[in-house]
Amino acid sequence: MRGTVNRVILVGNLGKDPLREDLENGGSRVSFPLASSEIWSDQSQGKRKQMREWHQIVCLDQRLADMTMRKCRKGTQVLVEGRLRATLVSEGPAQWVRTEIVIDGSGCDITILELSKPTRLKVKKPRVRKN
């Protein structure tokens, strides 16, 4: 086999509002958790089942990061195309591998499929009776 491919395509909903972090090199990154679901019918019980997976998305492309911050909120449905990156994390004696989907250049993209519904509640003005 010649060459390798590191490509991830996910469709899901933002689990939180995107978060922008400034980097030491003057750039910034935008990150957010993305939930994707798999639904199937359990033949033995005759019920629909669902399994949700959480993915950490990290956007380093400034154009896409700006668009994500402007237009995406918790609940927004997006299609993410990126690459998988695993990093060894150490905190004291504990170590684990953090896996992220990175959007950082050619072949990477975020497409908004459905905007989330506004979460603001409309406050009704009290009516004043005129006598």
Side-chain angles (χ1 to χ4, degrees), residues 27-73:
S28 64
R29 69 184 237 159
V30 169
S31 61
F32 55 88
L34 185 76
S36 63
S37 297
E38 181 180 351
I39 300 173
W40 71 95
S41 293
D42 184 345
Q43 300 298 334
S44 64
Q45 296 179 354
K47 293 183 181 178
R48 283 182 56 162
K49 298 232 176 181
Q50 178 177 353
M51 182 174 71
R52 181 169 292 128
E53 295 279 348
W54 287 96
H55 316 276
Q56 187 61 31
I57 310 298
V58 176
C59 183
L60 301 173
D61 180 289
Q62 294 306 299
R63 179 185 60 83
L64 292 173
D66 291 343
M67 183 267 310
T68 301
M69 289 300 296
R70 278 194 327 274
K71 297 186 175 185
C72 295
R73 294 290 170 259

